Amino acid sequence: MAASQANMEKMQFRQSFRNLWHSDLMGTIQADTRYCCFSFFCAPCASYLLRKRALYNDMSRYVCCAGYMPCSGRCGESKCPEFCLATEVFLCFGQSVASTRFLLQDEFNIQTTQCDNCIIGFMVCLQQVACIFSIVAMLVGSEEISEASQLLNCLADLVYCSVCACMQTQHKIEMDKRDGMFGPQPMAVPQFQQMSRIDQQIPPNVGYPPQPAYGQPYGYPPPPQAQGYPPQQGQGYPPAGYPPPGYPPSR
């Protein structure tokens, strides 16, 4: 019960992650076409290799279903982790893919986009509808409903295999990024940004002519004088006529 509650808290906390996958599900085919085909035609092998790589090739860290299932840690994984992982990817393939996904999300704080959630949700709903049609066809015994349920099952399996292949390719691309296989990211020159009025002591002039500072007349500073300062020696100091006549006044 405590483990289930902890997993529920992890799922809720996972919604607050801010990082995104390096490639979304729609772009995985174009990002790595060869691995996507490999994941489609040999899905359990891809799941085995990706889980081992997600553990940094350290199988001593392996736990069944990455610790997200009640049976995790109770299957003797420590004695023969390779055999247990092979059993997991062949007998519980869907859960093995989901466990690797959760493992990467928790490690790198990755959230799933709304588009990816819609694709995964459509895959799950289509499987449920196909299961319901199969039950109805079995109860009714109608040949038409039975054929429709078989077609729906084939469509659901095709969508399931396609989405799982894209998910595993997405995991592989993310681990390529983790391992630095994309090379260092080039540094770009930062764009010019205007600071806000809160961050800046004097607000920027946006759409208004520059105004003089407080206590300064328009046109400040004054235009340069023709003569320099201090005055030239020939002129004398103080200048002639200073002080004015009659100063100071007589009493």
Side-chain angles (χ1 to χ4, degrees):
M1 184 67 180
S4 300
Q5 183 66 23
N7 290 333
M8 290 296 298
E9 292 178 356
K10 285 183 179 179
M11 293 181 64
Q12 294 177 357
F13 183 72
R14 200 174 288 125
Q15 298 177 359
S16 63
F17 290 163
R18 291 293 178 264
N19 297 329
L20 299 176
W21 295 98
H22 187 76
S23 176
D24 56 1
L25 290 179
M26 297 293 293
T28 53
I29 300 177
Q30 182 179 2
D32 199 335
T33 307
R34 293 183 298 177
Y35 197 88
C36 192
C37 294
F38 168 69
S39 301
F40 184 84
F41 292 105
C42 194
C45 298
S47 181
Y48 183 95
L49 296 174
L50 289 174
R51 176 68 64 79
K52 186 177 180 179
R53 186 179 175 186
L55 297 174
Y56 297 90
N57 295 323
D58 184 9
M59 292 302 294
S60 62
R61 302 173 53 189
Y62 170 75
V63 180
C64 180
C65 297
Y68 296 103
M69 294 296 291
C71 62
S72 301
R74 304 178 182 179
C75 303
E77 300 95 327
S78 59
K79 298 180 180 178
C80 190
E82 290 82 3
F83 177 77
C84 291
L85 179 57
T87 304
E88 175 189 340
V89 299
F90 277 99
L91 299 183
C92 305
F93 169 72
Q95 186 59 40
S96 70
V97 176
S99 299
T100 303
R101 186 177 188 84
F102 296 153
L103 189 65
L104 294 175
Q105 284 185 281
D106 293 340
E107 181 178 0
F108 302 113
N109 295 336
I110 301 174
Q111 66 170 340
T112 303
T113 61
Q114 294 183 359
C115 180
D116 290 357
N117 284 329
C118 290
I119 294 174
I120 298 173
F122 173 75
M123 173 192 70
V124 175
C125 292
L126 190 59
Q127 289 180 329
Q128 299 296 328
V129 172
C131 180
I132 293 174
F133 264 73
S134 299
I135 296 175
V136 172
M138 181 181 61
L139 294 176
V140 176
S142 173
E143 184 176 356
E144 291 80 4
I145 298 179
S146 179
E147 292 179 356
S149 66
Q150 291 178 3
L151 292 175
L152 193 57
N153 277 304
C154 291
L155 179 61
D157 292 340
L158 179 62
V159 172
Y160 175 78
C161 294
S162 302
V163 174
C164 286
C166 293
M167 289 174 64
Q168 298 206 86
T169 307
Q170 189 180 48
H171 303 164
K172 186 257 184 184
I173 294 173
E174 192 66 29
M175 283 186 282
D176 287 345
K177 176 184 176 182
R178 178 197 69 182
D179 298 337
M181 298 182 65
F182 294 149
Q185 298 293 331
M187 297 182 63
V189 178
Q191 298 180 358
F192 176 77
Q193 297 180 354
Q194 278 279 9
M195 298 184 67
S196 64
R197 296 178 181 269
I198 299 177
D199 300 334
Q200 196 172 4
Q201 185 177 4
I202 301 176
N205 301 315
V206 182
Y208 298 94
Q211 301 294 333
Y214 178 76
Q216 296 175 354
Y218 285 90
Y220 184 86
Q225 302 292 332
Q227 59 183 10
Y229 184 87
Q232 301 178 0
Q233 298 295 332
Q235 181 180 357
Y237 187 83
Y242 182 86
Y247 183 86
S250 61
R251 296 181 180 180

